[in-house]
Amino acid sequence: MLISDEEFQQKLEAIFESAELREEDRNLWRDRLADAGEYIHKMFIDVFSKDRDLFLFFTTNMRKRMVAAGDRVKLEEIAEEERAYFSGLINRTEE
């Protein structure tokens, strides 16, 4: 079942509040999600309302990628951080 725009906005703000996200980062997410459809909205809520740490990781990651722009070296460093994070996540879920 998909969610209405009003319900999405309420849940989005709740995620922002629970993560104590800065207004700058909230606006980054709002911009990214503005043109997303209902399916993406639902997936966002399903994933990030349950895992604050994952949400904060993706927020930091998004910011780093924006700063890196097209710098291949910086992007590779970010990709390595992602691999390490997700490897650790997989290892924790397997235990």
Side-chain angles (χ1 to χ4, degrees), residues 7-69:
E7 183 180 2
F8 173 70
Q9 293 302 325
Q10 290 172 348
K11 290 183 177 192
L12 181 64
E13 291 303 317
I15 291 169
F16 291 166
E17 287 299 317
S18 72
E20 300 176 358
L21 211 60
R22 299 176 315 175
E23 192 61 32
E24 177 184 349
D25 290 333
R26 292 175 190 224
N27 288 331
L28 286 175
W29 279 114
R30 288 182 189 116
D31 289 347
R32 297 297 177 283
L33 295 166
D35 295 328
E38 290 179 65
Y39 180 76
I40 297 299
H41 288 174
K42 183 177 181 331
M43 294 294 293
F44 184 93
I45 298 301
D46 286 348
V47 171
F48 293 132
S49 65
K50 297 172 188 163
D51 195 332
R52 179 182 184 268
D53 290 338
L54 184 64
F55 177 65
L56 291 173
F57 173 80
F58 271 93
T59 301
T60 301
N61 184 270
M62 177 174 53
R63 214 178 317 113
K64 286 179 180 179
R65 285 185 169 278
M66 289 175 61
V67 169

Side-chain angles (χ1 to χ4, degrees), residues 76-90:
E76 184 55 39
E77 290 171 0
I78 294 166
E80 184 57 38
E81 289 174 6
E82 291 169 352
R83 283 189 284 276
Y85 178 83
F86 288 111
S87 291
L89 191 63
I90 290 168

